[in-house]
Amino acid sequence: MKMLAAQQMLVLLCVGFSLAHDSITPAQLKNIEERLKTTEETLKELKRENEALRIITKDSSDKLESIQAENKAKRVAFSAGLVTSGSEQFGPFDTRKTLIYQKIFTNIGNAYDSNTGTFTAPVNGVYFFRFYAHAHPSKQMAVSLHKNNQIQCSVFSLKPETNVNGSNGVVLSLNKGDEVYIQLWENSWVFDDESSYTSFSGFLLFPL
């Protein structure tokens, strides 16, 4: 608004000067020139203020987008069962295998990948994880939770007489990009069906 008013004043002064050119006195001419100079300086100052406001507005917009992205990244929680339908027994294998949990109950933040069975930390923070495993009689069941390439905690049952469930959980400090996954040990079995006896869950407690 200030710039528009200044521009209008400049136009009116120019028009007035043109109409009264023949009858204007030297003193009036000097006054008009001074007023034109003042108006030009005002326009320059308004341009500088507008540029400063543009920079401040852009900076505020960038900060808002950054805060919104950070807040979105803080919403992290997932829970998944091993099979989506039917029933299936996994194992035994000659080497350790990452279990791929495909029945997604929730995956807020999309940090869990149902194609690989891996949770990847989206932000630095403290996370909680829990997993369950189910085994049939006379079957060895051994499952571990890994952070990157290191075992953090495990469940184990050596050829139980009846069906058995194992569960464990852990609180981990993760950096952005750290991976957490569940591995079935070699020569071991786990079982799951639509009741989701074998599952994997985790969520962000708080960011760091």
Side-chain angles (χ1 to χ4, degrees):
M1 292 297 293
K2 290 182 179 180
M3 182 173 288
L4 179 60
Q7 290 173 333
Q8 290 174 339
M9 182 183 295
L10 181 61
V11 171
L12 290 173
L13 286 172
C14 290
V15 172
F17 174 76
S18 176
L19 293 175
H21 182 267
D22 294 336
S23 59
I24 198 167
T25 66
Q28 290 174 325
L29 178 61
K30 183 178 180 180
N31 180 263
I32 291 173
E33 290 175 346
E34 290 176 350
R35 292 172 66 184
L36 285 172
K37 183 178 180 181
T38 300
T39 302
E40 289 175 352
E41 291 176 352
T42 300
L43 284 172
K44 291 179 181 179
E45 179 62 26
L46 289 173
K47 287 180 179 180
R48 287 193 292 269
E49 290 179 2
N50 282 346
E51 179 62 19
L53 286 173
R54 186 190 68 79
I55 293 173
I56 292 172
T57 300
K58 185 179 185 303
D59 184 59
S60 298
S61 177
D62 291 343
K63 287 181 178 178
L64 178 59
E65 290 180 1
S66 177
I67 291 171
Q68 289 175 336
E70 183 179 349
N71 288 336
K72 185 177 181 180
K74 290 177 182 177
R75 297 193 292 269
V76 182
F78 79 98
S79 187
L82 198 55
V83 299
T84 57
S85 62
S87 62
E88 189 171 349
Q89 183 168 279
F90 294 82
F93 303 105
D94 294 333
T95 59
R96 298 191 179 190
K97 296 287 186 180
T98 298
L99 293 176
I100 300 175
Y101 299 80
Q102 297 183 330
K103 184 179 181 180
I104 305 299
F105 296 107
T106 186
N107 193 16
I108 298 171
N110 294 315
Y112 172 73
D113 187 346
S114 60
N115 294 312
T116 64
T118 300
F119 172 89
T120 304
V123 294
N124 297 347
V126 176
Y127 296 78
F128 175 76
F129 297 94
R130 178 166 290 280
F131 61 99
Y132 294 83
H134 183 83
H136 284 164
S138 302
K139 304 289 187 181
Q140 174 178 296
M141 181 267 289
V143 177
S144 296
L145 181 144
H146 292 245
K147 171 187 173 182
N148 297 324
N149 294 320
Q150 296 181 336
I151 292 177
Q152 304 300 305
C153 59
S154 304
V155 293
F156 177 80
S157 176
L158 179 59
K159 299 180 179 180
E161 295 181 1
T162 62
N163 289 354
V164 64
N165 290 315
S167 176
N168 208 339
V170 64
V171 173
L172 296 177
S173 178
L174 302 180
N175 293 320
K176 182 179 180 180
D178 281 346
E179 295 181 340
V180 176
Y181 52 92
I182 307 296
Q183 281 200 334
L184 177 68
W185 290 21
E186 61 272 17
N187 302 316
S188 297
W189 290 256
V190 289
F191 171 85
D192 198 25
D193 62 18
E194 294 177 353
S195 297
S196 299
Y197 297 106
T198 300
S199 63
F200 180 32
S201 303
F203 55 87
L204 174 66
L205 290 171
F206 53 87
L208 293 177

